Amino acid sequence: MLDELIAYLSTLNPVTAALLAGLFTWGVTALGASAVFLFRGVNKKVLNGMLGFTGGVMIAASFWSLLSPAIDMSEGEGFTKVMPAAIGFSLGALFIFGLDKLMPHLHLNFLKSEGPKSSLHRTTLLTIAIALHNIPEGLAVGVLFGAVAAGSPDASVAGAVLLAMGIGLQNFPEGIAVSMPLRRMGLSRWKSFQYGQLSAVVEPIFAVLGAFAVGFFLPILPYALSFAAGAMIFVVIEEVVPETQQEEHSDIPILGFVLGFVVMMMMDVALG
């Protein structure tokens, strides 16, 4: 089935393929958020383990799917070869850092808000935060599809599909992590679901933008791939890791992280 999916996406315009992949990752987020209709809550240890898994997937995808190809496709030797990846990675991290300072938002623990002071409701601030942090995920998928269309030998439809699948895997617990706390705050199940799935609506948008940009500006490809990697790793360190360390049992999210990293690494290397 995976081979058939890859073959089908290979026949599509890369922007269309990127859009479908972005819609898939958005849909998995919605699936996770829909857990609010089935359960009253999720055990905190279980949720931390799932968030740790999320972090592991994102870190592995950042290297195997983004940074490594960015370095391979760069010209030159030594520092010259790695410089585009270093610059792009740094800019990606600084991009999310800048958004964090410019946009009002609330962190997953509901205790710390960042950015300018705002009268927006806490639920809106939380949704903004998760949406900001989903931008690099959509961008990463789109850039890979754009790289395939541009004829890069270091990119493949299979790799882009596996990255979308990996991001989908980590989006499921993310949807739960948003919708369940909102339900505990007193929102209805429907509104909790709406806010949970809405947090990933930026992914198909930025997937299309990423594919479109790389298709027209091939020289930026190594920078674009490493940009997405830097942004994703910034999100893991700034949001995911601190959230999983709120409880005493910090070994559970660590094991989840290791599992997520191994799963994504195996998918990317063995299947990509």
Side-chain angles (χ1 to χ4, degrees):
M1 182 177 293
L2 180 59
D3 290 339
E4 294 175 355
L5 175 61
I6 293 172
Y8 170 70
L9 291 176
S10 299
T11 64
L12 299 179
N13 179 284
V15 174
T16 303
L19 174 61
L20 292 177
L23 290 173
F24 165 76
T25 59
W26 179 20
V28 178
T29 305
L31 185 62
S34 68
V36 76
F37 294 113
L38 303 175
F39 306 100
R40 291 186 176 182
V42 176
N43 183 280
K44 185 65 175 177
K45 295 178 184 178
V46 173
L47 183 57
N48 282 345
M50 295 172 73
L51 288 175
F53 181 88
T54 293
V57 169
M58 292 178 72
I59 294 293
S62 295
F63 176 75
W64 298 104
S65 299
L66 301 171
L67 272 179
S68 182
I71 294 172
D72 290 341
M73 65 182 59
S74 297
E75 298 180 354
E77 299 292 337
F79 284 107
T80 301
K81 186 173 182 62
V82 78
M83 193 58 65
I87 293 173
F89 186 89
S90 301
L91 290 177
L94 289 173
F95 174 72
I96 299 298
F97 174 79
L99 288 181
D100 273 354
K101 300 305 178 185
L102 294 174
M103 298 289 292
H105 60 282
L106 187 69
H107 287 272
L108 279 174
N109 57 21
F110 288 89
L111 298 177
K112 182 182 178 182
S113 60
E114 284 190 356
K117 291 184 178 181
S118 173
S119 60
L120 294 174
H121 195 274
R122 294 172 71 194
T123 55
T124 303
L125 293 176
L126 176 64
T127 304
I128 291 174
I130 304 301
L132 291 177
H133 293 165
N134 280 336
I135 288 175
E137 298 171 10
L139 186 63
V141 172
V143 165
L144 275 183
F145 276 108
V148 173
S152 171
D154 298 294
S156 66
V157 173
V161 169
L162 290 172
L163 177 60
M165 291 174 61
I167 289 174
L169 279 176
Q170 63 93 25
N171 275 3
F172 183 80
E174 191 172 83
I176 297 175
V178 177
S179 63
M180 287 298 186
L182 293 177
R183 176 60 177 161
R184 288 198 298 268
M185 288 175 60
L187 269 70
S188 68
R189 294 181 188 275
W190 176 245
K191 284 190 175 181
S192 298
F193 166 76
Q194 283 185 307
Y195 279 111
Q197 61 84 27
L198 188 61
S199 64
V201 72
V202 297
E203 292 193 7
I205 296 173
F206 277 85
V208 168
L209 290 176
F212 185 81
V214 171
F216 278 91
F217 306 103
L218 182 58
I220 72 168
L221 183 53
Y223 298 92
L225 288 170
S226 51
F227 180 96
M232 287 175 66
I233 289 182
F234 186 96
V235 169
V236 173
I237 302 302
E238 196 257 354
E239 183 70 61
V240 178
V241 171
E243 174 60 21
T244 62
Q245 299 301 308
Q246 300 294 321
E247 305 290 330
E248 295 180 2
H249 303 280
S250 59
D251 55 334
I252 295 177
I254 292 173
L255 293 174
F257 181 96
V258 171
L259 177 62
F261 188 96
V262 170
V263 167
M264 188 64 204
M265 178 180 66
M266 292 178 65
M267 287 175 57
D268 203 305
V269 176
L271 303 176

